[in-house]
Amino acid sequence: MSQITTHILDTTRGEPAADVAVALLGQDGSDWPELARGTTNADGRLTDLLPAGTVLPPGVYKLKFYTLEYFTKHGRAYFYPLVEICFAVADDAHYHVPLLLNPFGYSTYRGS
């Protein structure tokens, strides 16, 4: 399993959000280069974002969720075409960053 994982739950539909593109970016001064990219599976999970054994150095990172395509695919109105969650990695621990998503709001937390 990747050091960074995520899970998206569409709280309006009460179902996982499958086939959502997600990118991992790392802060490098004022730049945010993309480090990895993946897509959520049928259960809304992305567990293989980073290659096995890859450990990120301490720093600030963000997950970018491409929600426009998801909402468009399901024929739904939306307010957030893109969601970015910025977080700090302090050590080599596992970081699970879930996204609770609906067309007009979202929330997140550090999962386990």
Side-chain angles (χ1 to χ4, degrees), residues 14-62:
E15 298 177 358
D19 299 319
V20 177
V22 180
L24 174 68
L25 297 90
Q27 186 178 30
D28 183 12
S30 61
D31 294 327
W32 289 89
E34 185 174 302
L35 305 176
R37 182 179 283 257
T39 304
T40 58
N41 64 19
D43 195 32
R45 297 182 183 279
L46 181 53
T47 60
D48 60 354
L49 184 58
L50 294 169
T54 300
V55 177
L56 296 171
V60 178
Y61 297 88
K62 65 177 149 182

Side-chain angles (χ1 to χ4, degrees), residues 8-12 63 65 67 71 79-86 98-109:
I8 307 173
L9 178 64
D10 182 331
T11 58
T12 299
L63 287 174
F65 299 85
T67 54
F71 289 129
F79 186 67
Y80 296 104
L82 184 70
V83 173
E84 292 184 327
I85 300 172
C86 192
L99 175 63
L100 302 175
L101 177 67
N102 71 65
F104 300 101
Y106 64 89
S107 65
T108 187
Y109 56 94

Side-chain angles (χ1 to χ4, degrees), residues 1-4 50 53-59 61 88-96 110:
M1 177 173 24
S2 173
Q3 181 187 16
I4 307 295
L50 294 169
T54 300
V55 177
L56 296 171
Y61 297 88
V89 168
D91 51 32
D92 63 354
H94 173 238
Y95 290 83
H96 184 63
R110 180 169 179 188

